[in-house]
Amino acid sequence: MADLNDLNAFLAVARTGGFRDAARRLGASPSGVSDAVRRLETRLGVRLLNRTTRSAVPTEAGARLLERIAPALGEVEAALDVMNLFRDRPAGTLRLNVPVSAARLVLPRIVPAFLAAYPEIQLEVTAEDSFVDLVGAGCDAGIRYDERLEQDMIAVPIGPRVQRYALAASPAYLCRHGRPEHPRELLGHACLKGRFSSGAMMIWEFEHDGEAVRVEPRGPLLVGIGAATDLAVEAAVAGTGIIYLFEDWLRPYLDEGKLEPILEPWWQAFSGPFLYYPGRRLVPAPLRAFIDFVRQTKT
């Protein structure tokens, strides 16, 4: 019979796509994880992973095993988590998958106080802007905006309930190129563009007095939305062009005068993000504690 630790090691490698990332998740060494998977393959008599120097991908046999053991190991974890009911305070690991904007603008207002209140909970946060299968990625919950939630997910409001996209540029840029008075005039300006992880370009949207305008910006810089957004912000501060981004992200620069607001009456508001998690599973104690904490926290 296969060892439970070896099965967990295989599951972690299959989910993360590599031994190093799996080792970080398990709190083990990469060599230890590799040995565990090798023991499992020897015991079963089949290769479970195709390995390269950079990644590990399940073979057909590995994919079949992953499909069967992932729910089973999840049930084992849920059964063990029931023991948290007998503790004074919940313990364990809470894994969140969030967009970069949430890691920057939402979680800093919540996480320090949460970890102080629950010192026996370890929080793991993965920040990426592509939508992922939470269960398949081994995460307990995620943060996304409502239009990107799956139907079988339970959603809990987290962070500001209303946000806005802001348009701004440095005083030096506006001095050189003038201030646009209507969104269509942006087509004649240097704009700092963003591209989603899907490859789609970000469209700049505005609305004022019943008039809605969509602009496909042109300009000298294109960045991947999320990880490279700070580069666009710094370029805007340096006078390279006009930036369109979350107001909260730009607020410190606006308050310091490094950036000036443009077309503020046209800034479009949208609903804030949600913490979401699968409704078909028993909620682990660390996640339940986080949900309760979020509901009690005003941000």
Side-chain angles (χ1 to χ4, degrees), residues 6-84:
D6 293 350
L7 288 169
N8 269 319
F10 164 69
L11 181 63
V13 174
R15 281 174 166 171
T16 61
F19 289 94
R20 193 172 299 278
D21 289 340
R24 278 197 293 266
R25 173 168 294 184
L26 295 172
S29 67
S31 60
V33 173
S34 179
D35 290 342
V37 173
R38 191 174 295 109
R39 282 196 303 270
L40 182 61
E41 290 177 324
T42 300
R43 190 172 291 116
L44 297 177
V46 295
R47 175 178 287 274
L48 300 174
L49 296 169
N50 288 322
R51 303 160 173 83
T52 68
T53 56
R54 293 187 176 182
S55 65
V57 180
T59 62
E60 182 179 355
R64 290 286 187 88
L65 179 63
L66 179 65
E67 182 181 319
R68 300 298 295 269
I69 67 168
L73 290 178
E75 288 299 317
V76 171
E77 289 180 1
L80 294 175
D81 189 64
V82 171
M83 296 301 101
N84 262 313

Side-chain angles (χ1 to χ4, degrees), residues 81-102:
D81 189 64
V82 171
M83 296 301 101
N84 262 313
L85 298 175
F86 297 91
R87 299 173 58 91
D88 294 332
R89 290 182 298 190
T93 300
L94 172 60
R95 298 182 177 92
L96 301 180
N97 184 283
V98 308
V100 173
S101 59

Side-chain angles (χ1 to χ4, degrees), residues 109-154:
R109 306 179 187 182
I110 298 172
V111 166
F114 172 73
L115 294 178
Y118 296 96
E120 296 180 61
I121 291 178
Q122 179 181 357
L123 180 62
E124 294 183 11
V125 178
T126 300
E128 57 184 337
D129 284 277
S130 58
F131 191 80
V132 300
D133 174 9
L134 284 180
V135 177
C139 295
D140 300 296
I143 295 178
R144 288 294 183 271
Y145 289 85
D146 54 357
E147 69 270 17
R148 301 185 68 183
L149 295 180
E150 296 180 17
Q151 292 184 351
D152 62 345
M153 295 289 172
I154 296 176

Side-chain angles (χ1 to χ4, degrees), residues 169-170 172-173 176-177 189-192 219-221 231-243 259:
S170 71
Y173 177 88
R176 292 195 308 269
H177 302 283
H189 281 266
C191 298
L192 308 178
L221 179 64
L231 173 60
V233 174
E234 294 302 325
V237 170
T240 305
I242 297 175
I243 190 167
L259 294 175

Side-chain angles (χ1 to χ4, degrees), residues 279-299:
R280 61 184 180 275
R281 298 174 61 193
L282 179 68
V283 178
L287 176 57
R288 172 54 59 193
F290 189 70
I291 293 169
D292 292 342
F293 190 86
V294 165
R295 284 174 169 156
Q296 297 166 10
T297 301
K298 294 184 179 181
T299 58

Side-chain angles (χ1 to χ4, degrees), residues 200-216:
M201 300 294 293
M202 184 177 188
I203 303 298
W204 293 8
E205 298 181 310
F206 305 91
E207 187 173 353
H208 179 56
D209 285 343
E211 182 184 2
V213 179
R214 289 165 54 89
V215 175
E216 296 186 26

